[in-house]
Amino acid sequence: MQRKQHVVSGEEQALRLAGLRVTPQRLAIMRYMMGSKAHPSPEMVYGHLKPDFPGLSPNTVYQTLHSLEEAGLLRRISMEDNVYRYDANVEPHAHLVCRLCGRVDDTNGALEPLLHELLSKGSATTSWDILAMDCCFYGYCNDCRERAQTLQNEEREE
Amino acid sequence: MQRKQHVVSGEEQALRLAGLRVTPQRLAIMRYMMGSKAHPSPEMVYGHLKPDFPGLSPNTVYQTLHSLEEAGLLRRISMEDNVYRYDANVEPHAHLVCRLCGRVDDTNGALEPLLHELLSKGSATTSWDILAMDCCFYGYCNDCRERAQTLQNEEREE
DNA sequence: TACTACTTAGTAATCATTACTATGTCAATA
DNA sequence: TATTGACATAGTAATGATTACTAAGTAGTA
């Protein structure tokens, strides 16, 4: 029992469900965000899409990411260097941030029970209304560990 | 057995121990930071000291906070609004951040065991070199809860 | 007391982000 | 399938926090 119908991508469906208009730019941003584990910054999104959308404006990227965040499709995270990053995984989880290259990874799932406990205990032991929790580990990723050592030694010599 | 000696404040001692020169500006910044539980931003420090130091430059505040951080006397924290805050409590602990007024409090000490566990487990379950952890709870403080409700209702009506 | 390196103040530059506005386009309706 | 009104985009300008640069000043040591 097949019926002729046009194919609706998951991204398109998600946008419509959120009450947002579907445009080529938004679809492309959604697709990139959903497919990336790099927690892209607005600049990274812009740089990635610019070749396919020569007319793309950074402004559009900022606004779109903001709309998607408001719709609950993305989560904005902030880190030590004060540049925003966006995460298509909106479930609570912690991040690993490399202080040299800026890479952002998700932490191992093994931490999740602890994070849940922390959030519930945090909410329970304060009189504030808690809406969200953010947890970041800072250090050096495997690619930067060696370079970090070298830099530290140089500093010591000065 | 009293001896004549000039009085050395704790702040002065801390600066000398860290190998930093003691200047009036630095002493004042130290004193303010050590005495505050508000996790002041550079702008707050500047605003607080400007009356006493009319010639003070924002630049000096930025540089001094940075030096004190490098010396391990302060800890720089970053939050959702991408404005730096500094904390004279360098022991690991989490923060409560109000999304309306920007107030930053320390969390209840009851969370500390969990935070330690999180840090050690986080370090153990990744191959990265972990140097630090930051944990923030976002929500509304007691003073802003009501206003937050009002704002949300207004949004819904639009 | 004199010297040297570190600090400061002041200005200019940078960077990410937001504001503003005219043009363009999606999608609901007739 | 045309029309139309609201939303989206692009482009430029503005903002705000932070950093860079430089000349003048000062702390601490010999």
Side-chain angles (χ1 to χ4, degrees), chain B residues 20-21 23 25-26 55-57 59-60 63-64:
Chain B
L20 295 170
R21 283 200 182 165
T23 68
Q25 292 91 334
R26 282 192 178 165
L56 185 67
S57 152
N59 208 342
T60 299
Q63 288 174 216
T64 303

Side-chain angles (χ1 to χ4, degrees), chain A residues 5-75:
Chain A
Q5 58 182 19
H6 86 205
V7 178
V8 177
S9 69
E11 286 85 12
E12 184 171 344
Q13 216 167 14
L15 284 172
R16 290 192 197 281
L17 275 172
L20 295 171
R21 283 202 183 159
V22 179
T23 69
Q25 291 91 333
R26 283 192 176 166
L27 275 177
I29 291 176
M30 280 283 281
R31 242 178 251 130
Y32 177 53
M33 290 305 303
M34 302 296 161
S36 170
K37 290 205 178 288
H39 308 80
S41 64
E43 201 207 342
M44 288 161 76
V45 177
Y46 179 73
H48 186 260
L49 296 186
K50 187 70 176 172
D52 294 337
F53 293 81
L56 186 68
S57 152
N59 209 343
T60 299
V61 175
Y62 280 107
Q63 289 175 215
T64 302
L65 291 173
H66 184 247
S67 302
L68 295 176
E69 189 205 357
E70 283 217 311
L73 298 172
L74 296 180
R75 180 159 159 59

Side-chain angles (χ1 to χ4, degrees), chain B residues 5 27 37 56 59 63-64 75 81 105 117 125 128 135 139 141-142 149 157:
Chain B
Q5 56 180 21
L27 274 177
K37 289 204 178 290
L56 185 67
N59 208 342
Q63 288 174 216
T64 303
R75 180 157 158 60
D81 61 355
D105 276 13
E117 196 183 342
T125 55
W128 292 34
C135 194
C141 72
N142 296 326
Q149 276 293 337
E157 279 167 24

